[in-house]
Amino acid sequence: RLSTATPAFAKGTGFRLEPVRDGFRLPELLGIDRTKFDYIDYHINRGIRYRAMPGAQLLVMKDGQVVYEKAYGHHTYRKQEVTPGDLYDLASVTKAAATSLAVMKLYDEGKIELDAQVRDYLPELKRKMIGRYKIERLLSHHTGLQSEIPIYSLIGKEYVADSARGVFTLPVGPERWLDEEVPAKVRKNLKGKIDFTRRQVYKYSDLNYYLLQLVIEEIGGEPMEDLLEREFYTPLRLGKLGFRPAREFPAERLVPTVTDSWMRGGLLRGYVHDEGAALLGGVGGHAGLFSNAHDLGRLFQLLNYKGEHEGEQLLSAETIALFTAKNRFNYRALGFDRLAGGFNHVINQGASRATFGHLGFSGTSVWADPENDLVFVLLTNRVHPDPKNERFQKMQIRGRVYQGVYRALGTWASPL
C-alpha cells in the first residue's frame, strides 16, 4: 500500500493478494525451536571437517513451508562455497523423483498395470526371462536381477570423441561426446548379458529401473524426461530440477562429483556420475537427475499434498497412497524406500512409519513424512574426489541429521 499520496492515488491505496503457493516461515511460527537446528549444523560441519564430503545443502519443510534452508562448505574442499541454488547429482534419488513418478502418472491414466509383465509392453523381450517380471516387482526391487546394467564392453575411448562430429553427438563430459549408437547397444545387451534368478528375491538393482524407463517410453511414445517435464517439473515451476543441466547452467552452479580423465574428459560438473546413465545419453531410469534441495523438497511436498497443486490434481491421492505404502514383497514401497527399513533409530525419535523417500550413492537423500507433514532433504557430493570414501557412512551423518530434524520439531524429549 502507498505510504504517501500521489497525483493519481490516495495514501493507503493498494491491494492485498493471497499467496498462491507455499513459501517460507520462521520456525517459531510453526512451534519449532530454531536453536535445536544447531545439532544438525554441528554434524554436517563435522563431516566437512573430517572430509566425509566437501559441502552440503539442507532443506526442512513443515506444513508445506520452508522453515530451514542452508548451504554448507565448498564444492571441492576449496574456495567456491556452496549456495542454496547450486545443483547436485541426485544419483539413485532419480528412481523416486523421476521414474516412479512417471509410472504413477501412467497408472493414474490407466496405461500401465502393476501386475502386467515387462513383455506386455516390450515385445522384444517376449522370449526372455526378464520379460516375465511384473511391474510391481521391478518397482520393489524384488526380481533378483543383477545389480548393474551390463555396460563394461561399452566403456572405452573408441566410443567417445573430443569434439562433436559424425556419430559423436551425445555430451558425456567436458569436451567429450558419446557415439549416438551406444544407447541402442546398451539396450541390445539386455537380451544376452543379463544374469537372473528364477526364484525372484529382493535385490537392489539399477536394472529394474532401466527396464521401467524402457516401458515408460514405449507406452508414452516419448522420452521419459519429456513426460516428467510436462506433467510435474514445469507445473511445479521446478527450474533447478532436471536432467543434463550442463546444457543450461554455468559450471560454477553445478557441484562436481568425480574426475574421469580417461573417458569422460575430466572433472564432472553437470554430467551424471553413474556410467550406465552416461552411456544412455545422461537420462537413466536409475540415475541422471540433478537438483538443488529446494526444488527436490517441493516435488516431494506434492506427495504430502496428495497430488494437489494450486487447485490442479497432478496425481490422484489413491495412487500416491498405493505407491508410497509398504509393498507386499519386502520392506520397501512401490518405487520408494521407507525410513522404517533402515533408520529405526529415527522412527523411535518421532518419524512416522509412513515416511518414504530415497537415498543416492553420491550422498543425497530426500524423505517425506505425511503424518507430520514434513519433508527434509540432505544433498552432498561425498563421492568427491574419491567414490570409495566411506567416512560419510561411518560417521552416520544422514541418521544424525534426520534425528536432529525431529528433535527440532519437539517430537523427541530425550537428550541427544
Side-chain angles (χ1 to χ4, degrees):
R1 297 183 180 277
L2 293 176
S3 59
T4 59
T6 72
F9 299 99
K11 178 181 178 180
T13 301
F15 299 94
R16 179 177 178 81
L17 301 178
E18 295 300 324
V20 296
R21 64 181 301 185
D22 295 327
F24 297 76
R25 290 290 184 276
L26 294 174
E28 291 78 9
L29 295 179
L30 295 177
I32 299 171
D33 182 355
R34 74 168 67 213
T35 63
K36 292 184 177 180
F37 285 120
D38 291 346
Y39 177 82
I40 297 174
D41 292 347
Y42 169 77
H43 282 287
I44 293 177
N45 286 321
R46 182 171 179 266
I48 294 170
R49 187 166 64 253
Y50 285 94
R51 299 180 75 87
M53 69 281 195
Q57 286 178 0
L58 175 70
L59 179 85
V60 181
M61 298 176 65
K62 181 72 174 75
D63 299 339
Q65 311 293 336
V66 176
V67 294
Y68 201 70
E69 183 177 29
K70 194 167 182 178
Y72 306 79
H74 298 81
H75 281 209
T76 63
Y77 295 109
R78 295 182 180 177
K79 293 182 179 180
Q80 186 178 349
E81 295 183 351
V82 178
T83 72
D86 294 340
L87 278 66
Y88 278 82
D89 183 335
L90 299 184
S92 283
V93 171
T94 303
K95 294 181 176 75
T99 312
S100 297
L101 289 180
V103 174
M104 293 164 75
K105 187 64 180 180
L106 294 176
Y107 181 82
D108 249 1
E109 296 174 346
K111 296 178 179 178
I112 192 171
E113 298 294 334
L114 294 180
D115 62 353
Q117 296 180 330
V118 171
R119 62 185 178 182
D120 294 333
Y121 305 108
L122 300 177
E124 67 198 78
L125 299 177
K126 185 175 182 179
R127 299 183 182 279
K128 299 294 180 180
M129 184 63 189
I130 58 173
R132 301 179 185 179
Y133 295 131
K134 291 186 176 182
I135 299 301
E136 62 177 338
R137 286 184 176 269
L138 296 177
L139 289 164
S140 307
H141 293 281
H142 208 90
T143 60
L145 282 171
Q146 64 194 61
S147 299
E148 298 177 347
I149 297 172
I151 59 171
Y152 296 108
S153 63
L154 300 172
I155 299 177
K157 285 191 174 182
E158 66 268 29
Y159 294 110
V160 295
D162 56 9
S163 63
R165 63 178 187 272
V167 297
F168 299 100
T169 61
L170 303 175
V172 291
E175 306 304 322
R176 287 289 191 279
W177 283 263
L178 181 72
D179 185 334
E180 62 190 20
E181 297 180 4
V182 168
K185 292 179 184 291
V186 175
R187 183 166 181 168
K188 185 178 180 180
N189 280 355
L190 291 177
K191 296 181 179 180
K193 297 185 178 181
I194 298 297
D195 298 325
F196 58 85
T197 57
R198 293 187 179 276
R199 181 171 175 266
Q200 298 179 31
V201 296
Y202 173 67
K203 184 177 182 180
Y204 185 85
S205 171
D206 289 345
L207 190 50
N208 291 311
Y209 278 74
Y210 176 55
L211 287 171
L212 285 171
Q213 178 190 5
L214 295 180
V215 169
I216 291 164
E217 294 182 342
E218 183 68 24
I219 293 173
E222 62 180 336
M224 184 178 70
E225 63 178 320
D226 292 349
L227 183 156
L228 291 163
E229 192 68 40
R230 181 182 65 253
E231 301 294 342
F232 298 104
Y233 305 159
T234 295
L236 291 168
R237 297 190 287 277
L238 305 180
K240 290 186 172 64
L241 188 151
F243 294 92
R244 297 181 288 197
R247 301 177 303 175
E248 303 177 28
F249 293 88
E252 58 267 23
R253 295 275 65 83
L254 305 172
V255 180
T257 51
V258 302
T259 298
D260 179 1
S261 300
W262 180 68
M263 183 173 176
R264 307 284 295 280
L267 184 64
L268 299 181
R269 284 180 177 264
Y271 298 98
V272 60
H273 164 244
D274 182 271
E275 292 173 332
L279 294 186
L280 294 171
V283 181
H286 62 291
L289 199 65
F290 287 73
S291 182
N292 67 340
H294 188 275
D295 277 16
L296 183 58
R298 290 291 181 197
L299 180 64
F300 270 69
Q301 185 61 39
L302 172 72
L303 303 179
N304 271 357
Y305 280 160
K306 300 181 179 180
E308 191 274 333
H309 173 69
E310 296 180 4
E312 182 180 1
Q313 203 71 35
L314 302 186
L315 282 174
S316 72
E318 294 77 14
T319 292
I320 293 173
L322 174 63
F323 278 71
T324 59
K326 182 181 180 300
N327 72 63
R328 60 195 184 96
F329 307 111
N330 53 57
Y331 78 90
R332 302 179 74 95
L334 290 173
F336 300 89
D337 200 351
R338 296 174 61 248
L339 198 64
F343 291 93
N344 278 322
H345 58 295
V346 183
I347 298 293
N348 293 338
Q349 312 312 325
S352 75
R353 301 192 69 83
T355 305
F356 60 91
H358 216 285
L359 306 179
F361 179 77
S362 55
T364 55
S365 59
V366 56
W367 297 98
D369 183 340
E371 293 184 11
N372 287 302
D373 198 0
L374 177 71
V375 171
F376 49 103
V377 180
L378 175 65
L379 303 183
T380 81
N381 58 331
R382 67 102 195 158
V383 295
H384 180 85
D386 183 6
K388 296 180 181 180
N389 179 7
E390 297 180 353
R391 295 188 187 97
F392 187 74
Q393 291 92 330
K394 289 181 177 179
M395 294 178 70
Q396 300 180 351
I397 292 173
R398 281 177 173 141
R400 294 180 186 278
V401 169
Y402 304 164
Q403 286 179 326
V405 169
Y406 284 94
R407 182 192 189 196
L409 293 180
T411 57
W412 189 11
S414 301
L416 287 170

